[in-house]
Amino acid sequence: MAPPPPPLMDDLVGEILLRLPPEEPANLFRATLVCKPWFRILSDPAFRRRYRLFHRTPPMLGIFQNLRHDNTIPRFVPTAATVSPCSPPSLDCWFWWALDCRHGRVLIYSIGPTNLFVWDPITGDQQHLPVPAYAYAYCTAAVLCTAARCDHLDCRGNPFLVVFVGTGDRDGVTWASSFLSETGAWSTPTTVDLSASTTVDVDSFIDTRPSILNGDALYFTLERGKSILKYDLGERDLSVIDAPVCEQTGIIMTAEDGGLGFAGTEGNSLHLWSWLAGDDSVVGWVLCRVIKLETLLPIHNPYVPPQAIGFAEGTDTIFLDTDVAVFTLELKSGKTRVWETGGYYSFDFVVIPFMSFCTPDLAMGRLLLP
């Protein structure tokens, strides 16, 4: 019999393990059980840094689903079969919503009592924030890492910023206040009077939908996606942008050119716009692409068109709700996937993608199946 082949060198094993797909993090766990040399490689902090740099974009591990007409906690739907639903945080409240996910953190808004929490689903860490002491009838918020020169591949332990946006009850005023984890205090609110605008409905309000971080600004939707609210992170200034006109409620997204984008459906077609600003300060929306969805998605009832309901920031993935199911669509490849059967077709159905690297040193069995 031929002698067994010599064992692979650690450097070669490391190069192989480096290529395990991050969207199937349980594979990393299984690899640690193969033998002690593999465990040693995978437990090395240098390997974990190389792993994040090699893959660059944190994978989408799942989505949090808010059904705002139900007084229940959001449901976590995992991306892969090897990812199990994460344990919800232990909060002393009646119920809570997920408002935003970014840089490995989830921003929670609780009712009874009203509070804010920044939560890491993988490690279980959470931090309580008081709600700003300013009146509002509608609200949303965003969370992001503020560490200098951070590549946002592993933001755990870094300082963070929360931007809370509220709209008064029919007074036309929307305000924003920011909270820095380093100072532990809310800033003086910045306001914009929507009733003073000729293009925004006097009864316009902030939507409880995830924001988009683009450049040095956060973007939120107003009045069920009819307008867009821009919050300049440097100047702490608020301004309003008219959204493109489309048949169904649209969503903000990152455009294919990296700038601010918008997606909405017209019949059974998905329309993608990009916001352009010229050197002479001429700004406006440009229709960049039209995707015919009937060739990509099953549509049983032609009178119930698909609707764009969400976007995974940092990717090209859009969530679409149909009368059949909720789908994801990768814009570059055209690849679709059934996310959940049974369409919701409701603006009250909010999907918030959770994106983060998950390695064996972090999860400790909270998120992943063994």
Side-chain angles (χ1 to χ4, degrees):
M1 294 180 61
L8 294 174
M9 295 182 295
D10 284 355
D11 289 347
L12 184 56
V13 173
E15 289 298 320
I16 295 172
L17 296 176
L18 197 65
R19 287 158 174 78
L20 290 175
E23 60 271 16
E24 295 281 357
N27 291 335
L28 289 173
F29 284 72
R30 295 189 180 105
T32 62
L33 305 177
V34 171
C35 58
K36 289 183 179 180
W38 285 30
F39 177 84
R40 184 175 62 251
I41 293 170
L42 290 166
S43 61
D44 186 349
F47 173 85
R48 296 195 295 269
R49 286 193 296 269
R50 287 183 60 212
Y51 187 79
R52 296 183 179 101
L53 288 171
F54 181 83
H55 294 281
R56 294 302 302 174
T57 302
M60 182 166 57
L61 298 180
I63 62 170
F64 288 93
Q65 293 180 346
N66 289 341
L67 280 171
R68 291 183 296 178
H69 61 269
D70 289 342
N71 293 341
T72 58
I73 64 173
R75 190 162 63 95
F76 180 77
V77 181
T79 306
T82 55
V83 180
S84 65
C86 59
S87 302
S90 178
L91 304 177
D92 186 15
C93 62
W94 296 341
F95 59 93
W96 57 270
W97 298 326
L99 292 181
D100 197 30
C101 294
R102 187 176 289 108
H103 301 157
R105 298 180 173 97
V106 180
L107 183 61
I108 290 172
Y109 181 83
S110 70
I111 299 294
T114 302
N115 282 302
L116 290 170
F117 296 89
V118 174
W119 171 50
D120 184 337
I122 295 179
T123 65
D125 295 337
Q126 61 178 265
Q127 183 170 340
H128 166 256
L129 284 67
V131 175
Y134 311 112
Y136 60 90
Y138 307 91
C139 70
T140 191
V143 61
L144 62 147
C145 170
T146 58
R149 297 180 296 277
C150 181
D151 56 14
H152 303 308
L153 299 180
D154 183 13
C155 301
R156 289 176 179 86
N158 289 348
F160 62 84
L161 171 77
V162 172
V163 176
F164 191 95
V165 183
T167 300
D169 188 9
R170 296 184 178 275
D171 61 2
V173 175
T174 291
W175 55 267
S177 179
S178 58
F179 177 96
L180 277 172
S181 61
E182 296 169 299
T183 63
W186 290 98
S187 67
T188 302
T190 301
T191 61
V192 59
D193 188 355
L194 302 179
S195 64
S197 173
T198 59
T199 59
V200 179
D201 193 292
V202 65
D203 294 330
S204 186
F205 53 89
I206 193 70
D207 293 331
T208 310
R209 281 185 168 257
S211 62
I212 287 292
L213 175 64
N214 194 277
D216 295 326
L218 284 164
Y219 295 88
F220 306 85
T221 54
L222 293 164
E223 198 184 352
R224 298 182 180 271
K226 295 180 180 179
S227 302
I228 299 169
L229 183 71
K230 176 183 178 181
Y231 179 76
D232 189 297
L233 293 168
E235 301 295 330
R236 293 183 180 177
D237 181 53
L238 287 174
S239 57
V240 178
I241 302 171
D242 290 337
V245 178
C246 56
E247 289 181 359
Q248 303 298 323
T249 298
I251 59 167
I252 49 177
M253 57 175 286
T254 303
E256 292 181 331
D257 61 5
L260 177 65
F262 192 86
T265 54
E266 298 277 348
N268 291 328
S269 296
L270 177 67
H271 289 225
L272 303 177
W273 288 269
S274 179
W275 178 259
L276 299 181
D279 295 336
D280 55 354
S281 299
V282 176
V283 298
W285 291 104
V286 175
L287 180 62
C288 300
R289 192 176 170 194
V290 177
I291 302 174
K292 295 190 178 298
L293 297 176
E294 61 263 30
T295 62
L296 300 174
L297 305 177
I299 300 173
H300 288 176
N301 187 347
Y303 298 102
V304 182
Q307 181 171 304
I309 59 172
F311 178 74
E313 190 176 281
T315 72
D316 67 338
T317 302
I318 281 183
F319 290 84
L320 295 163
D321 189 14
T322 74
D323 63 330
V324 177
V326 176
F327 293 86
T328 56
L329 168 62
E330 296 179 5
L331 297 176
K332 291 180 181 178
S333 66
K335 180 180 178 181
T336 61
R337 176 196 166 187
V338 176
W339 196 271
E340 189 169 26
T341 58
Y344 287 87
Y345 208 73
S346 168
F347 193 80
D348 286 337
F349 177 64
V350 179
V351 297
I352 306 178
F354 175 68
M355 305 176 69
S356 179
F357 284 105
C358 184
T359 51
D361 61 306
L362 292 173
M364 297 176 290
R366 288 183 53 83
L367 187 65
L368 301 171
L369 293 174

